[in-house]
Amino acid sequence: GAISLAVAAIPEGLIAFTSIILAIGVQRMARKNAIVKNLMAVESLGNCAVICSDKTGTLTQNKMTIVDAFDGSQLLSNNSEIKNFLNIIELGSLCCDANLTRNEKDEYVVVGDPTEIAFLYELEKFSNFKYKNNLEIEYKRLHLFPFDSDRKMKSVINQNDNNYWATVMGAPEIIIEKCNFGSPSIKEKYLQINNQWANNAYRVLAIARKSLKKETIEKFNESSISKLQEHVENDLEIVGLVAMIDPPRESAKDAITLCKQAGIKPVMITGDNLNTAKAIAKNLGIYSDQDRAITGTELSNISDEELVQNIEKYSVYARVKPEDKLRIVNAWQQRKQVVAMTGDGVNDAPALKASDIGCAMGITGTEASKQAANVILADDNFATIVSAVANGRSIYQKIKNVIQSLLITSIAEIILLFIGLFLFKAIFSSAEWKVALGKSDLYIMSATQLLWINLFTHGFPAIALGLQDSKEDYMNRRPISKYESIFANQMGFNTLWKGILIGILSLITYYLAALYARNNGFNAEDILKAASTCSFLVLGISATFNSINLMTKKSIFISNPIYYWKVYASVIFSLAFLLIVVFVKNINLVFGCYTEIHSKPELLALGLALPLVIIPIYSIHKLIIYLIEKNKIKENKITEFKMILPPKQVKRNQKRH
């Protein structure tokens, strides 16, 4: 009895089944370009409430194209004389480290940053006789000061014969302030064009230059390269502005709409100008008039407490540094939200590590960012994150179904064995039963019977539940709090009452079978075997029907068996093995079953028909739940982002209201 009770209490397949479902889910995500490094990240994906995404390459195509330029007096788009702008493009190209070549098939082969590649394409278009390598031969590079997020610019020093000069390229608002203008009106014109382009969602770069003396370069070379850089990047002469466009990904807008429908807040983080960032975010649906946009400079002036207090109001972060991402992640987490953060650089690693779901770029990402992340986006696409979240929610629900299926049977087994031992010991203590049972030791079910139910009868349907796709849309509801128990939202109650129902049915079956056997003159051993075999059938069949019930929220009478073929096939398979154990000679002896049950129609009716009682009960329960939730779904339709509150706080708020 103690062994049987231990077998009943422990759902042996739970860990194995959930691991299989997680592994299959991770494999499915990988096919959709989301490589999940940690199985437990799947649960976090399902609970994701905020997605903080880089703009370039994730929300956009990362295919920069120059669409306009300004030389202080005229726009390229209004000017038919393209050669006037060759100087701007040439200087910009000298600042580039990308490469553009043609292969044997006369196709372009590109290597490097898309922004720089855009200059090389324009160089080809404007002046196909001056390739970049020709320029580099003509204008020898002496020094390079790479771009960084603090300076927001990049500069090079070139030499042509005895002429030395520096070219600086970067953020217009930074470079314009470092330039000497003949009059304030010219500076104002540059700022006006910059704002105008930014409002049109263009990415704007300023190009400036500075003449240098050989002696100055040599002097700084000997003392300090950093001082040379400081000298080069001040007192500049403006050359022009260049407007580029990086088209949004076609899938990004739909993915953002899906995010909002699922109660997830999308946030854009970019190094672009604030107006450019707002324009693109508005076009994608991330930014609306009720939202706030903030620059990295403004963010640095806000205390951590103030950021935490107002974090949900910010949808766009522009001109930010990688370390700002860590502050953003921490602020969301202090508000108890599950946050996903994208990144590709070495400096993004701390934020990726700190976030609940760190998403590294598979194409442009550095090895450091990939090591720090939980998920790698093989296609660098925002839509892939949203797809992974949808998969995470689906997998979480599948695991809940599997756990519920296994625990319902375990509860039924515990009730049958634990209560049954005390109940039938009392019932069988009467004179009539003592005569019928003699000195036979009371047992309800053997350990082998229970193991068979646990591993085969409800084991295969449990796996099928984990493999079966649902027609339910999991992306039309808000995320679940990471502090919420898996048994919340009535799951614990439903598991308990269903387990009790099957347990009671099994107890009734045991008693009725024993009563029939006693009244028909069975010997003591066969009375207990007949009762045990019938309750074994009821428990096993009920476990399989329970899996069919859990596969959908609809009644099984209106669900499509072809769509849910995996569950139905597993149920048929499990029932077949259950019947083999009960009815096939010699096998039934091993499992301690009553070998003559096939010749007793009354016992067969008890064992095979009584489990059917649960089907109408489950269907009525589903109908009641549907009628209750029908109006709730309409009332709780998601129209705006709301913080996902921990369960205790939700209860406190409900009491307050």
Side-chain angles (χ1 to χ4, degrees):
I3 294 170
S4 296
L5 191 59
V7 170
I10 302 165
E12 295 86 356
L14 183 58
I15 295 172
F17 296 158
T18 51
S19 297
I20 289 167
I21 294 159
L22 282 169
I24 291 168
V26 165
Q27 193 177 36
R28 182 176 293 183
M29 287 185 192
R31 287 198 295 269
K32 293 184 178 179
N33 295 316
I35 301 162
V36 180
K37 291 167 59 183
N38 181 353
L39 285 181
M40 299 318 295
V42 174
E43 185 184 353
S44 297
L45 278 165
N47 295 346
C48 180
V50 184
I51 302 176
C52 298
S53 173
D54 289 325
K55 177 188 74 69
T56 306
T58 310
L59 292 165
T60 60
Q61 296 176 24
N62 205 17
K63 293 178 181 175
M64 287 289 182
T65 306
I66 293 176
V67 292
D68 215 339
F70 177 66
D71 66 354
S73 59
Q74 54 189 341
L75 292 167
L76 168 64
S77 54
N78 298 334
N79 182 42
S80 58
E81 197 61 49
I82 290 175
K83 288 182 181 178
N84 291 352
F85 295 90
L86 183 56
N87 186 43
I88 297 175
I89 301 303
E90 281 188 355
L91 285 171
S93 300
L94 287 173
C95 248
C96 297
D97 293 299
N99 272 301
L100 177 69
T101 55
R102 290 180 186 271
N103 59 19
E104 302 80 28
K105 297 178 183 177
D106 205 34
E107 297 170 331
Y108 282 119
V109 179
V110 296
V111 178
D113 181 79
T115 302
E116 297 186 355
I117 289 165
F119 276 91
L120 304 189
Y121 273 123
E122 289 303 309
L123 187 65
E124 282 260 302
K125 189 199 299 182
F126 285 173
S127 178
N128 56 19
F129 57 86
K130 274 195 176 181
Y131 294 98
K132 182 169 179 282
N133 55 352
N134 292 341
L135 278 176
E136 287 177 344
I137 293 167
E138 190 176 343
Y139 306 111
K140 183 183 174 185
R141 182 185 284 186
L142 301 180
H143 284 286
L144 164 68
F145 302 108
F147 178 89
D148 69 50
S149 53
D150 291 323
R151 288 162 41 244
K152 296 184 175 59
M153 66 179 74
K154 176 182 184 178
S155 53
V156 292
I157 298 176
N158 292 94
Q159 175 191 358
N160 174 238
D161 296 331
N162 292 321
N163 298 318
Y164 298 84
W165 79 94
T167 306
V168 183
M169 181 165 70
E173 59 267 34
I174 304 294
I175 289 178
I176 287 171
E177 292 304 319
K178 292 177 178 287
C179 289
N180 298 314
F181 291 92
S183 69
S185 60
I186 298 173
K187 180 181 178 181
E188 190 58 40
K189 183 65 176 172
Y190 271 101
L191 291 171
Q192 183 186 334
I193 294 292
N194 178 43
N195 288 332
Q196 181 184 315
W197 282 348
N199 290 332
N200 289 336
Y202 294 157
R203 184 177 187 183
V204 188
L205 286 176
I207 297 169
R209 60 172 289 161
K210 181 176 185 175
S211 295
L212 299 169
K213 291 180 180 178
K214 184 181 179 181
E215 299 78 28
T216 307
I217 298 169
E218 288 173 350
K219 183 183 78 173
F220 281 119
N221 270 343
E222 290 174 7
S223 58
S224 170
I225 292 293
S226 61
K227 287 183 180 177
L228 176 60
Q229 178 185 308
E230 191 180 337
H231 176 74
V232 161
E233 294 177 352
N234 282 290
D235 299 320
L236 301 169
E237 174 194 341
I238 193 79
V239 174
L241 300 179
V242 174
M244 299 180 174
I245 190 162
D246 182 11
R249 287 182 182 266
E250 290 179 13
S251 58
K253 200 165 187 175
D254 292 337
I256 286 159
T257 302
L258 187 58
C259 262
K260 291 191 166 185
Q261 287 173 357
I264 300 168
K265 184 175 179 67
V267 177
M268 179 196 281
I269 299 175
T270 178
D272 277 356
N273 172 281
L274 182 64
N275 290 339
T276 304
K278 280 165 65 176
I280 293 170
K282 202 164 190 175
N283 182 31
L284 287 167
I286 292 175
Y287 181 80
S288 65
D289 295 335
Q290 291 77 39
D291 296 321
R292 288 188 196 174
I294 188 171
T295 64
T297 307
E298 291 168 337
L299 186 62
S300 63
N301 294 327
I302 293 176
S303 67
D304 289 342
E305 292 76 17
E306 190 179 342
L307 181 61
V308 170
Q309 193 66 32
N310 298 304
I311 189 68
E312 74 271 22
K313 296 174 184 175
Y314 297 111
S315 294
V316 175
Y317 296 86
R319 296 286 192 224
V320 295
K321 301 172 188 176
E323 51 266 35
D324 292 330
K325 287 186 174 183
L326 188 58
R327 284 190 70 199
I328 295 165
V329 167
N330 289 336
W332 278 112
Q333 288 178 333
Q334 283 189 51
R335 296 290 295 274
K336 313 299 183 189
Q337 304 305 291
V338 174
V339 57
M341 174 65 76
T342 69
D344 55 10
V346 174
N347 294 336
D348 291 330
L352 293 175
K353 192 79 176 170
S355 64
D356 299 280
I357 310 149
C359 302
M361 302 296 115
I363 300 170
T364 60
T366 58
E367 197 58 38
S369 66
K370 290 175 185 176
Q371 288 291 332
N374 312 102
V375 180
I376 298 171
L377 306 177
D379 57 356
D380 292 11
N381 194 343
F382 180 85
T384 303
I385 309 173
V386 181
S387 172
V389 170
N391 269 310
R393 288 190 179 190
S394 174
I395 291 166
Y396 183 71
Q397 188 58 49
K398 286 176 183 178
I399 289 171
K400 283 184 76 170
N401 288 343
V402 170
I403 291 171
Q404 198 171 354
S405 174
L406 297 175
L407 290 183
I408 285 169
T409 311
S410 289
I411 290 168
E413 288 170 353
I414 291 166
I415 287 168
L416 174 61
L417 292 177
F418 190 71
I419 295 177
L421 280 171
F422 291 102
L423 181 66
F424 294 123
K425 204 160 191 177
I427 292 171
F428 294 165
S429 63
S430 66
E432 270 185 299
W433 282 106
K434 278 184 178 178
V435 171
L437 294 174
K439 293 183 178 179
S440 296
D441 289 331
L442 173 66
Y443 73 93
I444 308 296
M445 283 174 72
S446 68
T448 50
Q449 287 174 335
L450 289 167
L451 275 172
W452 191 260
I453 287 173
N454 284 1
L455 296 177
F456 281 88
T457 308
H458 76 176
F460 286 108
I463 293 174
L465 278 174
L467 299 177
Q468 180 65 59
D469 290 324
S470 174
K471 288 187 175 182
E472 197 174 343
D473 184 8
Y474 298 114
M475 292 297 276
N476 66 351
R477 62 184 71 167
R478 295 190 187 279
I480 298 165
S481 168
K482 62 181 176 181
Y483 301 99
E484 186 173 285
S485 165
I486 199 166
F487 295 106
N489 298 315
Q490 301 296 310
M491 179 175 154
F493 174 73
N494 288 334
T495 303
L496 193 61
W497 78 257
K498 287 173 185 176
I500 291 169
L501 173 65
I502 295 171
I504 289 170
L505 280 175
S506 303
L507 286 170
I508 292 168
T509 304
Y510 189 92
Y511 176 72
L512 292 176
L515 189 64
Y516 171 84
R518 189 199 74 181
N519 293 343
N520 284 273
F522 285 30
N523 62 42
E525 187 182 349
D526 283 346
I527 290 173
L528 294 175
K529 277 190 176 182
S532 174
T533 304
C534 286
S535 59
F536 175 55
L537 277 170
V538 169
L539 192 60
I541 295 168
S542 297
T544 58
F545 286 169
N546 191 56
S547 299
I548 295 174
N549 177 65
L550 287 168
M551 73 187 180
T552 173
K553 280 192 169 185
K554 294 180 180 178
S555 168
I556 63 170
F557 297 113
I558 57 172
S559 61
N560 184 353
I562 296 170
Y563 183 82
Y564 295 104
W565 70 269
K566 290 174 186 172
V567 177
Y568 280 103
S570 69
V571 164
I572 293 166
F573 182 79
S574 296
L575 285 175
F577 270 85
L578 180 71
L579 297 176
I580 285 169
V581 165
V582 174
F583 294 108
V584 175
K585 202 172 179 180
N586 294 327
I587 294 177
N588 50 23
L589 283 172
V590 174
F591 285 87
C593 296
Y594 177 56
T595 55
E596 300 301 317
I597 192 170
H598 59 277
S599 63
K600 306 294 180 185
E602 292 85 354
L603 290 177
L604 279 175
L606 267 177
L608 299 177
L610 207 58
L612 300 176
V613 172
I614 69 171
I615 295 174
I617 293 173
Y618 283 172
S619 295
I620 292 166
H621 174 255
K622 282 185 175 181
L623 179 62
I624 293 166
I625 295 297
Y626 169 75
L627 294 173
I628 292 169
E629 289 187 350
K630 190 178 178 182
N631 293 326
K632 273 189 180 179
I633 291 167
K634 288 179 181 177
E635 288 169 12
N636 298 334
K637 189 176 179 183
I638 299 166
T639 55
E640 60 180 355
F641 172 76
K642 287 181 183 175
M643 286 285 185
I644 309 305
L645 302 175
K648 287 181 182 177
Q649 195 171 334
V650 172
K651 286 177 183 176
R652 282 200 300 269
N653 291 352
Q654 287 172 347
K655 284 179 182 176
R656 205 176 293 141
H657 291 298

